[in-house]
């Protein structure tokens, strides 16, 4: 297996014949989803695929349908590109994960403090709290998108 670490916003991916590209919770940091997906698609070999994990959170003012399969931001981008993809729902697992993360970060706070790493624990607790709140309100979903190579975009 070959592994490359690059800044996807500024750098080109080395090579151009990938079988699979896996992007786990990184698409949010790339700016324009469509532009980034087209950039990644251009490096796939025919028959290749991308596996993209993405959260969708219902923000204030969003309709609840934004959480449903076929209606997330990622779905909308993929539909606008007319790409074939499969969507797999990992929501129950991720909701449980964030609730437990929150509980454990509080339970481990004294250990972090004893190590002199209270700041790390506080940062994790804040992040975990945000996700836990959305998980408990059921305003957070997570899907894995399996996206097939699209030669028409090259």
């Amino acid at each position: 297996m070959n592994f490359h670490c690059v800044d996807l916003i500024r750098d080109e991916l080395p090579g151009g014949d990938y079988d699979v590209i896996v992007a786990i919770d990184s698409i949010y940091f790339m700016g324009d989803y469509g532009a980034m997906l087209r950039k990644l698609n251009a490096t796939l070999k025919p028959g290749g695929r991308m596996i993209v994990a993405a959260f969708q959170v219902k923000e204030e003012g969003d309709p609840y349908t934004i959480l449903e399969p076929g209606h997330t931001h990622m779905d909308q981008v993929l539909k606008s590109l007319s790409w074939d993809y499969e969507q797999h729902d990992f929501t129950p697992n991720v909701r449980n994960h964030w609730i437990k993360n929150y509980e454990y970060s509080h339970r481990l706070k004294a250990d972090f403090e004893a190590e002199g790493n209270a700041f790390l624990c506080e940062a994790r607790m804040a992040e975990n709290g945000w996700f836990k709140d959305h998980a408990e309100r059921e305003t957070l979903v997570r899907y894995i998108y399996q996206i097939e190579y699209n030669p028409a975009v090259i």
Side-chain angles (χ1 to χ4, degrees):
M1 179 164 101
N2 292 325
F3 180 87
H4 299 280
C5 184
V6 297
D7 180 336
L8 287 176
I9 296 170
R10 293 189 303 232
D11 302 333
E12 293 300 317
L13 279 174
D17 59 349
Y18 292 98
D19 295 310
V20 177
I21 296 174
V22 178
I24 300 172
D25 298 325
S26 55
I27 193 80
Y28 331 104
F29 305 105
M30 306 300 168
D32 179 343
Y33 287 17
M36 184 53 57
L37 291 171
R38 285 190 296 276
K39 183 176 183 177
L40 295 174
N41 180 72
T43 66
L44 288 172
K45 68 168 68 168
R49 66 185 58 173
M50 289 180 271
I51 310 295
V52 179
F55 288 100
Q56 179 66 57
V57 176
K58 181 196 174 302
E59 303 288 355
E60 190 172 326
D62 287 341
Y64 271 96
T65 55
I66 194 119
L67 301 172
E68 296 174 2
H71 296 277
T72 66
H73 291 306
M74 181 63 76
D75 283 304
Q76 297 309 307
V77 169
L78 292 168
K79 287 177 182 179
S80 75
L81 293 169
S82 300
W83 286 5
D84 294 329
Y85 68 97
E86 291 179 19
Q87 185 177 28
H88 306 278
D89 189 356
F90 280 74
T91 300
N93 291 349
V94 81
R95 286 180 179 161
N96 184 49
H97 168 82
W98 284 110
I99 290 168
K100 292 214 180 298
N101 259 1
Y102 181 80
E103 292 169 2
Y104 280 97
S105 64
H106 281 273
R107 203 175 296 163
L108 295 171
K109 184 176 180 184
D111 293 336
F112 275 86
E113 289 171 347
E115 294 173 351
N117 290 319
F119 69 98
L120 290 174
C121 188
E122 290 166 8
R124 293 299 300 165
M125 286 171 33
E127 180 183 46
N128 293 340
W130 185 88
F131 278 100
K132 177 193 79 69
D133 291 347
H134 279 287
E136 289 176 341
R137 290 193 310 261
E138 297 187 0
T139 55
L140 167 84
V141 293
R142 180 178 182 156
Y143 296 104
I144 305 292
Y145 300 85
Q146 180 177 312
I147 307 161
E148 301 302 320
Y149 166 77
N150 191 322
V153 177
I154 305 289

